[in-house]
Amino acid sequence: MGPETSDTMDARRDGFTEPGPVGRMLLALFAWVDERFRLRNYADEFRHFYYQINLELPRTHTEKYNLRVIWYWYPLYTLGSIAFLAFIFAAISGILLTFYYVPSTAEATVNGVQATEAWESMTVIMTEVPLGFGIRALHFWSGMVMVWAVVLHMFRVYFTQAYKKPRELNWLLGVVLFLLTMGLGYTGYILPWSQLSYWAAIIGLEMSIATPILGQYLAGLLFGGVELGQQTITRMYVLHVILLPLLTFGAAVLHVVIVWWQGIAEPH
Ligand code: HEM
């Protein structure tokens, strides 16, 4: 090691080490982009935001009471996050399915049997599209996990009385999320236009028509009329792949932000 100069002393004091060739290249690249887009300003703001968040984050129950054991009910506090994760998996696999799925009741023949283009596209996904079977399975199972996680999460919140003041509004937002999740499940069930789908659609249609006063209007709005047809599948498709996912995502993000603001309810 050579003698310590004022330069190396400065560097040591400032915690600065000379970058290697790759580091110098990255710095030059950053400087080039920074000159044009002023990235440094955003980076500073982002760093500020990051520290702000860390300072404001509530302490966990374990930290607050200096607990040495993991309370055995804690896994139940992961159910909301599991629901969110399952939603993300369903959204990604769902986007892949839309590349091949055809929302049409036009007639098609599948294996010599009269069916619809929707059902035909399902058989193509299951038998011809590379990994199609797996992606459909992933979509189905992430949907199932989401529904069960949401239901169990609701039970957890209920039995720990976490819906009480000041969390009443987040509980109500949770009810909206529950309905949106059920809506996603139902509209997705109709899309393959299988026998199960068809009869589930009939039940929904009959229930809509039976609604007092609003019956005809509701059937028209949700199913495209008082009989099943192309309009039914178009509406279920738009609800399932655009409207409900966007609403669910927005409501779930708001829900989690509120949990973060208010802190998690203390288990007692
Ligand atoms: C897509 C659906 C949902 C997602 C992604 C979600 C997500 C979350 C997450 C991540 C938490 C943090 C604590 C935990 O996970 O236990 C939470 C807390 C909470 N959730 Fe949900 N949730 C959903 C549905 C619901 C439903 C259906 C209800 C009730 C009707 C609800 C009511 C609440 C309440 C009141 C809290 C605060 C609990 C506390 O502070 O201990 N959520 N949610």
Side-chain angles (χ1 to χ4, degrees):
M1 221 165 92
E4 192 145 78
T5 64
S6 65
D7 270 2
T8 53
M9 273 157 62
D10 280 351
R12 200 155 45 79
R13 197 181 50 235
D14 301 341
F16 175 81
T17 41
E18 187 70 26
V22 176
R24 273 202 298 276
M25 220 166 72
L26 286 176
L27 269 177
L29 181 69
F30 181 76
W32 190 90
V33 180
D34 187 49
E35 218 179 335
R36 284 152 185 86
F37 297 107
R38 293 187 170 275
L39 288 186
R40 232 174 322 172
N41 294 358
Y42 298 108
D44 283 347
E45 256 166 52
F46 183 74
R47 193 176 313 128
H48 179 72
F49 182 59
Y50 175 78
Y51 286 124
Q52 196 81 5
I53 286 176
N54 272 285
L55 284 177
E56 284 175 10
L57 270 181
R59 283 183 303 158
T60 64
H61 187 69
T62 325
E63 277 171 327
K64 196 165 174 180
Y65 296 105
N66 197 17
L67 297 179
R68 286 168 198 282
V69 289
I70 296 186
W71 195 46
Y72 56 88
W73 289 114
Y74 276 173
L76 297 182
Y77 284 68
T78 61
L79 287 164
S81 307
I82 291 173
F84 195 78
L85 209 65
F87 172 74
I88 299 293
F89 270 86
I92 295 171
S93 51
I95 289 171
L96 295 177
L97 287 176
T98 60
F99 292 161
Y100 290 96
Y101 171 74
V102 182
S104 160
T105 53
E107 271 184 28
T109 311
V110 180
N111 296 330
V113 179
Q114 192 185 329
T116 57
E117 284 184 356
W119 177 249
E120 186 185 32
S121 69
M122 293 316 298
T123 59
V124 169
I125 289 171
M126 295 299 276
T127 57
E128 288 171 35
V129 175
L131 294 180
F133 174 87
I135 290 168
R136 186 179 176 202
L138 186 62
H139 192 68
F140 175 85
W141 283 108
S142 47
M144 285 280 160
V145 168
M146 181 175 171
V147 169
W148 278 103
V150 166
V151 170
L152 294 175
H153 169 62
M154 205 165 162
F155 277 114
R156 191 291 280 171
V157 171
Y158 180 76
F159 285 113
T160 54
Q161 304 186 4
Y163 53 83
K164 287 186 174 173
K165 187 185 172 189
R167 298 183 177 79
E168 308 93 321
L169 288 179
N170 216 17
W171 168 267
L172 290 180
L173 186 57
V175 174
V176 172
L177 276 165
F178 173 74
L179 295 176
L180 286 169
T181 308
M182 294 296 119
L184 276 169
Y186 180 74
T187 52
Y189 197 75
I190 306 295
L191 293 182
W193 212 250
S194 60
Q195 278 292 311
L196 288 174
S197 312
Y198 182 84
W199 293 105
I202 288 280
I203 291 171
L205 178 67
E206 297 287 339
M207 282 170 72
S208 305
I209 295 172
T211 309
I213 305 167
L214 295 175
Q216 302 282 322
Y217 172 73
L218 213 60
L221 185 72
L222 295 176
F223 295 91
V226 290
E227 275 179 15
L228 298 186
Q230 177 59 48
Q231 272 296 310
T232 314
I233 215 166
T234 305
R235 285 176 195 221
M236 291 297 134
Y237 189 58
V238 172
L239 281 170
H240 189 75
V241 305
I242 302 175
L243 223 58
L244 294 178
L246 283 181
L247 287 174
T248 307
F249 184 71
V253 169
L254 183 63
H255 183 70
V256 175
V257 167
I258 292 176
V259 172
W260 174 50
W261 274 340
Q262 300 189 317
I264 203 89
E266 296 294 346
H268 292 293

